[in-house]
Amino acid sequence: MSDNLLDINIRHSLQTANGILPMEVSFSLSKGNILALTGPSGAGKTTLLRQIAGLVNPQSGKISLDQQLWLDTSQDIQIPTRKRNIGFVFQDYALFPHMTVKENLLFALETKGDEKVVDELLDAMGLTQLHGRKPHQLSGGQQQRVALARALVRKPDLLLLDEPFAALDHSMRYQLQNLLLKFHRLYHFTVIIVTHDIGEIFRLADRVMIMNHGKVTQLGSPAEVYTSETDNADDLTLSGEVLSCQKLHGHLLVSALIENKVRQLTLPLDMEPQMLPGNNFTLPYSLDPNRIRLVNNR
């Protein structure tokens, strides 16, 4: 018996700013893996997540989870979203504004589900004291914790995350990554996360898949994908906090906290205004040593 939990083979016409693009995606993902999905804007990443969730129907193909068919256009099989045991978190959080924090979680709980899991998640996410507040009374980081807790309340087999931490500062992003890893170890669910942050990819993912123009261009471990000579990493970013910055031999030597590790970056001199100690930064990442170079990791 295959250990692949998720099997996808779909075709679709993707609407882009440059017209209609043929989308063809085929891959398998083993149970318990965390897959980072990355690539340029318009590549089809969000559309793929929505197709897996059943929110968008591909024009043809199959999607199965643990050998249960969720979609098979040849047999006219289409399992609705509510019957797919998934959790998903998008950038806009999509919390119900008229419900409290706890009510948002209870609404997501299965009928006759054990309400104890709601209190457990509120405690684990540090939300117990906020359970009676409504979304507009919460910070962005607090709203994101609620969204993540709501996605986990049904103990999903598959968790879909669409750049869930992109709008958060480095400290909050790292905190929520820790929570994701904690619950992943506890519940052993499979994860697909759309991200452009290279540190996040290496910290979270077992596998990484690059999409471009509606197709999978690379699939492998982060080390395999990002040491490939054919890889194009122009759309990736590196995020962190500046610890110190000094001029040295015609460039900047920056000490930065990136994914809770102190790293040394060499950067162009014209970036000095962005590299003041204490600043949070997001930079384009490249393997080209003439642009941004990781020269030390300790």
Side-chain angles (χ1 to χ4, degrees):
M1 182 179 294
S2 171
D3 66 349
N4 287 334
L5 176 75
L6 183 67
D7 287 288
I8 293 176
N9 190 335
I10 60 97
R11 294 188 177 191
H12 191 67
S13 294
L14 191 65
Q15 296 284 347
T16 73
N18 296 318
I20 297 176
L21 186 71
M23 179 179 177
E24 299 178 8
V25 177
S26 180
F27 72 96
S28 297
L29 189 61
S30 296
K31 187 171 185 177
N33 273 181
I34 298 179
L35 173 71
L37 180 57
T38 191
S41 178
K45 304 180 298 296
T46 296
T47 297
L48 177 60
L49 286 196
R50 295 177 69 83
Q51 289 169 338
I52 295 170
L55 300 172
V56 172
N57 294 323
Q59 290 165 326
S60 65
K62 294 182 181 180
I63 298 175
S64 66
L65 183 82
D66 203 14
Q67 300 186 24
Q68 177 191 8
L69 272 176
W70 278 0
L71 175 83
D72 187 343
T73 55
S74 67
Q75 301 182 58
D76 199 26
I77 294 173
Q78 180 189 327
I79 302 299
T81 300
R82 67 180 183 279
K83 293 186 178 180
R84 305 185 187 196
N85 189 23
I86 59 173
F88 46 84
V89 179
F90 299 113
Q91 279 184 281
D92 61 1
Y93 313 143
L95 300 175
F96 294 111
H98 62 287
M99 292 184 182
T100 65
V101 168
K102 187 169 185 176
E103 287 169 346
N104 264 278
L105 269 63
L106 287 170
F107 185 84
L109 191 65
E110 290 180 317
T111 304
K112 298 182 181 179
D114 187 354
E115 293 188 14
K116 287 182 181 179
V117 71
V118 171
D119 292 327
E120 289 170 359
L121 282 167
L122 289 173
D123 181 60
M125 295 283 185
L127 295 167
T128 301
Q129 301 301 317
L130 305 174
H131 77 276
R133 295 191 185 181
K134 294 184 177 178
H136 74 274
Q137 297 173 302
L138 305 175
S139 69
Q142 290 167 344
Q143 289 183 45
Q144 192 63 297
R145 276 185 280 162
V146 176
L148 184 56
R150 188 180 62 179
L152 294 174
V153 76
R154 294 178 61 182
K155 298 183 180 178
D157 295 318
L158 179 64
L159 182 64
L160 305 174
L161 306 171
D162 192 0
E163 297 194 73
F165 313 135
L168 305 176
D169 63 28
H170 171 73
S171 176
M172 181 56 65
R173 179 162 50 232
Y174 186 79
Q175 179 183 341
L176 288 179
Q177 288 170 359
N178 271 345
L179 286 172
L180 175 61
L181 290 172
K182 172 184 175 180
F183 284 103
H184 180 257
R185 288 190 295 267
L186 184 63
Y187 296 135
H188 309 292
F189 47 77
T190 303
V191 182
I192 301 178
I193 178 170
V194 174
T195 177
H196 293 97
D197 191 296
I198 189 71
E200 190 163 81
I201 290 172
F202 272 88
R203 182 155 192 258
L204 296 180
D206 307 296
R207 309 280 287 170
V208 58
M209 186 168 83
I210 298 179
M211 285 185 67
N212 199 0
H213 299 297
K215 294 179 174 59
V216 177
T217 58
Q218 287 182 276
L219 177 61
S221 70
E224 289 169 342
V225 168
Y226 292 113
T227 56
S228 167
E229 293 181 0
T230 61
D231 173 58
N232 183 342
D234 287 343
D235 196 52
L236 293 169
T237 59
L238 194 66
S239 300
E241 179 184 348
V242 178
L243 301 178
S244 65
C245 177
Q246 59 180 314
K247 296 178 182 178
L248 182 67
H249 305 308
H251 61 261
L252 298 177
L253 181 62
V254 178
S255 178
L257 186 66
I258 299 173
E259 301 302 339
N260 215 36
K261 294 181 180 179
V262 178
R263 299 179 186 264
Q264 303 298 317
L265 308 177
T266 55
L267 301 173
L269 286 174
D270 60 8
M271 298 187 71
E272 185 176 14
Q274 304 173 50
M275 294 295 122
L276 298 176
N279 277 8
N280 290 320
F281 65 84
T282 298
L283 300 172
Y285 176 87
S286 173
L287 297 180
D288 179 355
N290 294 317
R291 291 180 62 193
I292 297 175
R293 188 156 50 97
L294 291 180
V295 297
N296 189 20
N297 179 13
R298 61 186 181 197

mmCIF file of all heavy atoms in Angstrom, residues 259-298:
data_model
loop_
_atom_site.group_PDB
_atom_site.id
_atom_site.type_symbol
_atom_site.label_atom_id
_atom_site.label_comp_id
_atom_site.label_asym_id
_atom_site.label_seq_id
_atom_site.Cartn_x
_atom_site.Cartn_y
_atom_site.Cartn_z
ATOM 1 N N GLU A 259 15.103 33.563 11.459
ATOM 2 C CA GLU A 259 14.561 32.287 11.941
ATOM 3 C C GLU A 259 15.256 31.851 13.228
ATOM 4 O O GLU A 259 15.646 30.705 13.411
ATOM 5 C CB GLU A 259 14.672 31.208 10.862
ATOM 6 C CG GLU A 259 13.957 31.552 9.577
ATOM 7 C CD GLU A 259 12.484 31.828 9.751
ATOM 8 O OE1 GLU A 259 11.925 31.376 10.764
ATOM 9 O OE2 GLU A 259 11.893 32.500 8.901
ATOM 10 N N ASN A 260 15.439 32.819 14.139
ATOM 11 C CA ASN A 260 15.999 32.597 15.470
ATOM 12 C C ASN A 260 17.463 32.155 15.445
ATOM 13 O O ASN A 260 17.952 31.575 16.415
ATOM 14 C CB ASN A 260 15.176 31.585 16.259
ATOM 15 C CG ASN A 260 15.145 31.925 17.745
ATOM 16 O OD1 ASN A 260 15.109 33.103 18.124
ATOM 17 N ND2 ASN A 260 15.159 30.915 18.591
ATOM 18 N N LYS A 261 18.146 32.419 14.329
ATOM 19 C CA LYS A 261 19.573 32.144 14.253
ATOM 20 C C LYS A 261 20.289 33.421 13.825
ATOM 21 O O LYS A 261 19.782 34.183 13.005
ATOM 22 C CB LYS A 261 19.872 31.023 13.244
ATOM 23 C CG LYS A 261 19.326 29.668 13.662
ATOM 24 C CD LYS A 261 19.682 28.609 12.638
ATOM 25 C CE LYS A 261 19.126 27.250 13.069
ATOM 26 N NZ LYS A 261 19.434 26.194 12.069
ATOM 27 N N VAL A 262 21.475 33.654 14.389
ATOM 28 C CA VAL A 262 22.266 34.817 14.013
ATOM 29 C C VAL A 262 23.041 34.485 12.750
ATOM 30 O O VAL A 262 23.794 33.505 12.697
ATOM 31 C CB VAL A 262 23.227 35.225 15.140
ATOM 32 C CG1 VAL A 262 24.085 36.411 14.697
ATOM 33 C CG2 VAL A 262 22.445 35.575 16.403
ATOM 34 N N ARG A 263 22.834 35.279 11.701
ATOM 35 C CA ARG A 263 23.517 35.067 10.429
ATOM 36 C C ARG A 263 24.207 36.358 10.011
ATOM 37 O O ARG A 263 23.786 37.456 10.397
ATOM 38 C CB ARG A 263 22.533 34.636 9.339
ATOM 39 C CG ARG A 263 21.798 33.328 9.619
ATOM 40 C CD ARG A 263 20.844 33.040 8.479
ATOM 41 N NE ARG A 263 19.995 31.887 8.736
ATOM 42 C CZ ARG A 263 20.250 30.653 8.313
ATOM 43 N NH1 ARG A 263 21.351 30.411 7.634
ATOM 44 N NH2 ARG A 263 19.423 29.661 8.569
ATOM 45 N N GLN A 264 25.264 36.208 9.218
ATOM 46 C CA GLN A 264 25.977 37.353 8.675
ATOM 47 C C GLN A 264 25.626 37.504 7.199
ATOM 48 O O GLN A 264 25.701 36.541 6.434
ATOM 49 C CB GLN A 264 27.488 37.170 8.832
ATOM 50 C CG GLN A 264 27.949 36.959 10.263
ATOM 51 C CD GLN A 264 27.642 38.137 11.157
ATOM 52 O OE1 GLN A 264 27.833 39.283 10.762
ATOM 53 N NE2 GLN A 264 27.184 37.864 12.363
ATOM 54 N N LEU A 265 25.208 38.697 6.801
ATOM 55 C CA LEU A 265 24.872 38.992 5.414
ATOM 56 C C LEU A 265 25.840 40.011 4.853
ATOM 57 O O LEU A 265 26.240 40.950 5.551
ATOM 58 C CB LEU A 265 23.453 39.561 5.305
ATOM 59 C CG LEU A 265 22.301 38.810 5.958
ATOM 60 C CD1 LEU A 265 21.018 39.601 5.769
ATOM 61 C CD2 LEU A 265 22.166 37.422 5.396
ATOM 62 N N THR A 266 26.227 39.841 3.600
ATOM 63 C CA THR A 266 26.933 40.906 2.898
ATOM 64 C C THR A 266 25.957 41.550 1.932
ATOM 65 O O THR A 266 25.317 40.872 1.133
ATOM 66 C CB THR A 266 28.152 40.361 2.132
ATOM 67 O OG1 THR A 266 27.724 39.321 1.249
ATOM 68 C CG2 THR A 266 29.200 39.824 3.072
ATOM 69 N N LEU A 267 25.830 42.880 2.030
ATOM 70 C CA LEU A 267 24.831 43.613 1.264
ATOM 71 C C LEU A 267 25.469 44.833 0.618
ATOM 72 O O LEU A 267 26.494 45.333 1.086
ATOM 73 C CB LEU A 267 23.682 44.059 2.180
ATOM 74 C CG LEU A 267 22.914 42.970 2.920
ATOM 75 C CD1 LEU A 267 21.943 43.593 3.910
ATOM 76 C CD2 LEU A 267 22.165 42.086 1.947
ATOM 77 N N PRO A 268 24.843 45.365 -0.446
ATOM 78 C CA PRO A 268 25.367 46.591 -1.078
ATOM 79 C C PRO A 268 25.302 47.781 -0.125
ATOM 80 O O PRO A 268 24.416 47.865 0.742
ATOM 81 C CB PRO A 268 24.425 46.790 -2.272
ATOM 82 C CG PRO A 268 23.808 45.460 -2.513
ATOM 83 C CD PRO A 268 23.707 44.802 -1.175
ATOM 84 N N LEU A 269 26.220 48.732 -0.310
ATOM 85 C CA LEU A 269 26.282 49.908 0.559
ATOM 86 C C LEU A 269 25.005 50.736 0.517
ATOM 87 O O LEU A 269 24.635 51.365 1.517
ATOM 88 C CB LEU A 269 27.471 50.790 0.156
ATOM 89 C CG LEU A 269 28.866 50.275 0.537
ATOM 90 C CD1 LEU A 269 29.933 51.184 -0.058
ATOM 91 C CD2 LEU A 269 29.013 50.198 2.049
ATOM 92 N N ASP A 270 24.308 50.747 -0.638
ATOM 93 C CA ASP A 270 23.120 51.601 -0.732
ATOM 94 C C ASP A 270 21.949 51.084 0.101
ATOM 95 O O ASP A 270 20.908 51.747 0.192
ATOM 96 C CB ASP A 270 22.691 51.786 -2.193
ATOM 97 C CG ASP A 270 22.339 50.475 -2.890
ATOM 98 O OD1 ASP A 270 22.276 49.425 -2.219
ATOM 99 O OD2 ASP A 270 22.122 50.504 -4.114
ATOM 100 N N MET A 271 22.110 49.934 0.736
ATOM 101 C CA MET A 271 21.042 49.407 1.584
ATOM 102 C C MET A 271 21.220 49.831 3.046
ATOM 103 O O MET A 271 20.432 49.437 3.909
ATOM 104 C CB MET A 271 20.987 47.876 1.488
ATOM 105 C CG MET A 271 20.677 47.369 0.089
ATOM 106 S SD MET A 271 20.404 45.594 0.021
ATOM 107 C CE MET A 271 18.816 45.504 0.851
ATOM 108 N N GLU A 272 22.230 50.658 3.326
ATOM 109 C CA GLU A 272 22.521 51.029 4.710
ATOM 110 C C GLU A 272 21.326 51.644 5.445
ATOM 111 O O GLU A 272 21.085 51.313 6.617
ATOM 112 C CB GLU A 272 23.714 51.987 4.759
ATOM 113 C CG GLU A 272 24.159 52.315 6.183
ATOM 114 C CD GLU A 272 25.409 53.183 6.195
ATOM 115 O OE1 GLU A 272 25.774 53.751 5.140
ATOM 116 O OE2 GLU A 272 26.020 53.305 7.285
ATOM 117 N N PRO A 273 20.510 52.528 4.796
ATOM 118 C CA PRO A 273 19.373 53.110 5.535
ATOM 119 C C PRO A 273 18.368 52.071 6.038
ATOM 120 O O PRO A 273 17.669 52.302 7.028
ATOM 121 C CB PRO A 273 18.728 54.043 4.498
ATOM 122 C CG PRO A 273 19.827 54.392 3.554
ATOM 123 C CD PRO A 273 20.654 53.158 3.459
ATOM 124 N N GLN A 274 18.268 50.926 5.363
ATOM 125 C CA GLN A 274 17.327 49.881 5.793
ATOM 126 C C GLN A 274 17.902 49.002 6.896
ATOM 127 O O GLN A 274 17.166 48.252 7.529
ATOM 128 C CB GLN A 274 16.979 48.972 4.597
ATOM 129 C CG GLN A 274 16.411 49.696 3.400
ATOM 130 C CD GLN A 274 16.256 48.750 2.226
ATOM 131 O OE1 GLN A 274 15.687 47.674 2.356
ATOM 132 N NE2 GLN A 274 16.764 49.151 1.069
ATOM 133 N N MET A 275 19.216 49.088 7.113
ATOM 134 C CA MET A 275 19.891 48.131 7.975
ATOM 135 C C MET A 275 20.286 48.721 9.328
ATOM 136 O O MET A 275 21.305 48.362 9.906
ATOM 137 C CB MET A 275 21.141 47.586 7.259
ATOM 138 C CG MET A 275 20.800 46.753 6.043
ATOM 139 S SD MET A 275 19.918 45.226 6.475
ATOM 140 C CE MET A 275 18.404 45.451 5.514
ATOM 141 N N LEU A 276 19.454 49.613 9.849
ATOM 142 C CA LEU A 276 19.701 50.159 11.176
ATOM 143 C C LEU A 276 19.392 49.095 12.225
ATOM 144 O O LEU A 276 18.412 48.356 12.115
ATOM 145 C CB LEU A 276 18.836 51.396 11.419
ATOM 146 C CG LEU A 276 19.079 52.592 10.495
ATOM 147 C CD1 LEU A 276 18.071 53.697 10.796
ATOM 148 C CD2 LEU A 276 20.505 53.097 10.628
ATOM 149 N N PRO A 277 20.217 48.965 13.265
ATOM 150 C CA PRO A 277 19.961 47.966 14.311
ATOM 151 C C PRO A 277 18.556 48.106 14.881
ATOM 152 O O PRO A 277 18.094 49.210 15.178
ATOM 153 C CB PRO A 277 21.035 48.284 15.353
ATOM 154 C CG PRO A 277 22.161 48.860 14.552
ATOM 155 C CD PRO A 277 21.488 49.669 13.473
ATOM 156 N N GLY A 278 17.881 46.987 14.995
ATOM 157 C CA GLY A 278 16.504 46.963 15.497
ATOM 158 C C GLY A 278 15.463 46.926 14.399
ATOM 159 O O GLY A 278 14.305 46.590 14.650
ATOM 160 N N ASN A 279 15.854 47.268 13.153
ATOM 161 C CA ASN A 279 14.909 47.240 12.032
ATOM 162 C C ASN A 279 14.552 45.805 11.646
ATOM 163 O O ASN A 279 15.410 44.916 11.641
ATOM 164 C CB ASN A 279 15.511 47.929 10.803
ATOM 165 C CG ASN A 279 15.346 49.437 10.837
ATOM 166 O OD1 ASN A 279 14.907 49.992 11.842
ATOM 167 N ND2 ASN A 279 15.697 50.090 9.752
ATOM 168 N N ASN A 280 13.288 45.597 11.323
ATOM 169 C CA ASN A 280 12.883 44.355 10.666
ATOM 170 C C ASN A 280 13.017 44.559 9.161
ATOM 171 O O ASN A 280 12.733 45.641 8.649
ATOM 172 C CB ASN A 280 11.439 43.991 11.013
ATOM 173 C CG ASN A 280 11.285 43.555 12.456
ATOM 174 O OD1 ASN A 280 12.129 42.853 12.994
ATOM 175 N ND2 ASN A 280 10.220 43.992 13.097
ATOM 176 N N PHE A 281 13.443 43.539 8.442
ATOM 177 C CA PHE A 281 13.639 43.686 7.006
ATOM 178 C C PHE A 281 13.129 42.461 6.264
ATOM 179 O O PHE A 281 13.029 41.367 6.807
ATOM 180 C CB PHE A 281 15.129 43.899 6.679
ATOM 181 C CG PHE A 281 15.999 42.714 7.012
ATOM 182 C CD1 PHE A 281 16.142 41.660 6.114
ATOM 183 C CD2 PHE A 281 16.673 42.650 8.222
ATOM 184 C CE1 PHE A 281 16.930 40.568 6.414
ATOM 185 C CE2 PHE A 281 17.466 41.560 8.541
ATOM 186 C CZ PHE A 281 17.594 40.510 7.629
ATOM 187 N N THR A 282 12.779 42.686 5.008
ATOM 188 C CA THR A 282 12.484 41.616 4.061
ATOM 189 C C THR A 282 13.227 41.945 2.782
ATOM 190 O O THR A 282 13.029 43.008 2.199
ATOM 191 C CB THR A 282 10.972 41.500 3.789
ATOM 192 O OG1 THR A 282 10.290 41.175 5.009
ATOM 193 C CG2 THR A 282 10.698 40.394 2.768
ATOM 194 N N LEU A 283 14.095 41.036 2.367
ATOM 195 C CA LEU A 283 14.950 41.273 1.215
ATOM 196 C C LEU A 283 14.741 40.192 0.165
ATOM 197 O O LEU A 283 14.436 39.053 0.508
ATOM 198 C CB LEU A 283 16.430 41.252 1.630
ATOM 199 C CG LEU A 283 16.880 42.268 2.673
ATOM 200 C CD1 LEU A 283 18.306 41.966 3.100
ATOM 201 C CD2 LEU A 283 16.790 43.678 2.111
ATOM 202 N N PRO A 284 14.935 40.538 -1.108
ATOM 203 C CA PRO A 284 14.938 39.488 -2.128
ATOM 204 C C PRO A 284 16.115 38.559 -1.897
ATOM 205 O O PRO A 284 17.213 38.990 -1.561
ATOM 206 C CB PRO A 284 15.074 40.262 -3.443
ATOM 207 C CG PRO A 284 15.696 41.550 -3.047
ATOM 208 C CD PRO A 284 15.191 41.867 -1.672
ATOM 209 N N TYR A 285 15.880 37.266 -2.020
ATOM 210 C CA TYR A 285 16.927 36.276 -1.797
ATOM 211 C C TYR A 285 17.448 35.768 -3.130
ATOM 212 O O TYR A 285 16.693 35.513 -4.054
ATOM 213 C CB TYR A 285 16.378 35.098 -0.995
ATOM 214 C CG TYR A 285 17.374 33.980 -0.789
ATOM 215 C CD1 TYR A 285 18.248 34.010 0.280
ATOM 216 C CD2 TYR A 285 17.444 32.916 -1.674
ATOM 217 C CE1 TYR A 285 19.167 33.000 0.471
ATOM 218 C CE2 TYR A 285 18.362 31.905 -1.497
ATOM 219 C CZ TYR A 285 19.223 31.948 -0.424
ATOM 220 O OH TYR A 285 20.131 30.946 -0.236
ATOM 221 N N SER A 286 18.748 35.587 -3.227
ATOM 222 C CA SER A 286 19.333 35.033 -4.440
ATOM 223 C C SER A 286 20.553 34.211 -4.071
ATOM 224 O O SER A 286 21.263 34.525 -3.112
ATOM 225 C CB SER A 286 19.740 36.155 -5.400
ATOM 226 O OG SER A 286 20.459 35.617 -6.494
ATOM 227 N N LEU A 287 20.800 33.165 -4.816
ATOM 228 C CA LEU A 287 22.020 32.395 -4.624
ATOM 229 C C LEU A 287 23.221 33.069 -5.286
ATOM 230 O O LEU A 287 24.340 32.601 -5.157
ATOM 231 C CB LEU A 287 21.840 30.983 -5.184
ATOM 232 C CG LEU A 287 20.752 30.161 -4.496
ATOM 233 C CD1 LEU A 287 20.656 28.783 -5.131
ATOM 234 C CD2 LEU A 287 21.011 30.019 -3.013
ATOM 235 N N ASP A 288 22.988 34.143 -5.998
ATOM 236 C CA ASP A 288 24.061 34.888 -6.651
ATOM 237 C C ASP A 288 24.883 35.627 -5.591
ATOM 238 O O ASP A 288 24.374 36.524 -4.915
ATOM 239 C CB ASP A 288 23.448 35.899 -7.629
ATOM 240 C CG ASP A 288 24.503 36.741 -8.338
ATOM 241 O OD1 ASP A 288 25.692 36.605 -8.000
ATOM 242 O OD2 ASP A 288 24.120 37.517 -9.219
ATOM 243 N N PRO A 289 26.150 35.302 -5.390
ATOM 244 C CA PRO A 289 26.938 35.927 -4.325
ATOM 245 C C PRO A 289 27.152 37.412 -4.542
ATOM 246 O O PRO A 289 27.550 38.115 -3.622
ATOM 247 C CB PRO A 289 28.274 35.165 -4.382
ATOM 248 C CG PRO A 289 28.359 34.605 -5.758
ATOM 249 C CD PRO A 289 26.927 34.324 -6.143
ATOM 250 N N ASN A 290 26.877 37.926 -5.747
ATOM 251 C CA ASN A 290 27.030 39.356 -5.980
ATOM 252 C C ASN A 290 25.829 40.155 -5.500
ATOM 253 O O ASN A 290 25.839 41.371 -5.524
ATOM 254 C CB ASN A 290 27.254 39.620 -7.477
ATOM 255 C CG ASN A 290 28.576 39.043 -7.950
ATOM 256 O OD1 ASN A 290 29.583 39.178 -7.260
ATOM 257 N ND2 ASN A 290 28.557 38.393 -9.097
ATOM 258 N N ARG A 291 24.760 39.448 -5.060
ATOM 259 C CA ARG A 291 23.581 40.160 -4.571
ATOM 260 C C ARG A 291 23.489 40.010 -3.056
ATOM 261 O O ARG A 291 23.970 40.854 -2.304
ATOM 262 C CB ARG A 291 22.331 39.623 -5.257
ATOM 263 C CG ARG A 291 22.281 39.993 -6.747
ATOM 264 C CD ARG A 291 21.054 39.458 -7.425
ATOM 265 N NE ARG A 291 19.842 40.024 -6.844
ATOM 266 C CZ ARG A 291 18.624 39.554 -7.078
ATOM 267 N NH1 ARG A 291 18.458 38.540 -7.885
ATOM 268 N NH2 ARG A 291 17.588 40.114 -6.529
ATOM 269 N N ILE A 292 22.926 38.956 -2.572
ATOM 270 C CA ILE A 292 22.827 38.741 -1.130
ATOM 271 C C ILE A 292 23.507 37.430 -0.810
ATOM 272 O O ILE A 292 23.270 36.428 -1.472
ATOM 273 C CB ILE A 292 21.368 38.701 -0.663
ATOM 274 C CG1 ILE A 292 20.710 40.049 -0.941
ATOM 275 C CG2 ILE A 292 21.252 38.350 0.801
ATOM 276 C CD1 ILE A 292 19.251 40.074 -0.637
ATOM 277 N N ARG A 293 24.347 37.437 0.191
ATOM 278 C CA ARG A 293 25.143 36.244 0.457
ATOM 279 C C ARG A 293 25.084 35.916 1.946
ATOM 280 O O ARG A 293 25.404 36.743 2.791
ATOM 281 C CB ARG A 293 26.586 36.495 0.012
ATOM 282 C CG ARG A 293 27.488 35.294 0.049
ATOM 283 C CD ARG A 293 28.637 35.478 -0.927
ATOM 284 N NE ARG A 293 29.296 36.755 -0.770
ATOM 285 C CZ ARG A 293 30.411 36.920 -0.049
ATOM 286 N NH1 ARG A 293 30.971 35.908 0.563
ATOM 287 N NH2 ARG A 293 30.960 38.113 0.053
ATOM 288 N N LEU A 294 24.686 34.687 2.279
ATOM 289 C CA LEU A 294 24.788 34.197 3.645
ATOM 290 C C LEU A 294 26.215 33.692 3.826
ATOM 291 O O LEU A 294 26.600 32.712 3.188
ATOM 292 C CB LEU A 294 23.789 33.059 3.896
ATOM 293 C CG LEU A 294 22.325 33.407 3.928
ATOM 294 C CD1 LEU A 294 21.504 32.143 4.180
ATOM 295 C CD2 LEU A 294 22.023 34.424 4.998
ATOM 296 N N VAL A 295 26.998 34.353 4.663
ATOM 297 C CA VAL A 295 28.397 33.955 4.795
ATOM 298 C C VAL A 295 28.699 33.240 6.104
ATOM 299 O O VAL A 295 29.788 32.737 6.286
ATOM 300 C CB VAL A 295 29.336 35.189 4.658
ATOM 301 C CG1 VAL A 295 29.195 35.785 3.276
ATOM 302 C CG2 VAL A 295 29.039 36.229 5.720
ATOM 303 N N ASN A 296 27.719 33.199 6.989
ATOM 304 C CA ASN A 296 27.977 32.543 8.269
ATOM 305 C C ASN A 296 26.652 32.162 8.897
ATOM 306 O O ASN A 296 25.649 32.809 8.687
ATOM 307 C CB ASN A 296 28.756 33.465 9.209
ATOM 308 C CG ASN A 296 29.246 32.749 10.461
ATOM 309 O OD1 ASN A 296 29.326 31.527 10.455
ATOM 310 N ND2 ASN A 296 29.546 33.495 11.480
ATOM 311 N N ASN A 297 26.628 31.103 9.654
ATOM 312 C CA ASN A 297 25.437 30.671 10.374
ATOM 313 C C ASN A 297 25.884 30.087 11.695
ATOM 314 O O ASN A 297 26.647 29.137 11.708
ATOM 315 C CB ASN A 297 24.673 29.628 9.548
ATOM 316 C CG ASN A 297 23.444 29.148 10.272
ATOM 317 O OD1 ASN A 297 23.025 29.744 11.255
ATOM 318 N ND2 ASN A 297 22.859 28.066 9.793
ATOM 319 N N ARG A 298 25.462 30.662 12.782
ATOM 320 C CA ARG A 298 25.940 30.153 14.069
ATOM 321 C C ARG A 298 24.799 30.096 15.066
ATOM 322 O O ARG A 298 23.771 30.701 14.846
ATOM 323 C CB ARG A 298 27.067 31.021 14.587
ATOM 324 C CG ARG A 298 26.666 32.474 14.836
ATOM 325 C CD ARG A 298 27.843 33.334 15.198
ATOM 326 N NE ARG A 298 27.385 34.699 15.454
ATOM 327 C CZ ARG A 298 28.178 35.733 15.475
ATOM 328 N NH1 ARG A 298 29.450 35.583 15.242
ATOM 329 N NH2 ARG A 298 27.707 36.938 15.718
#
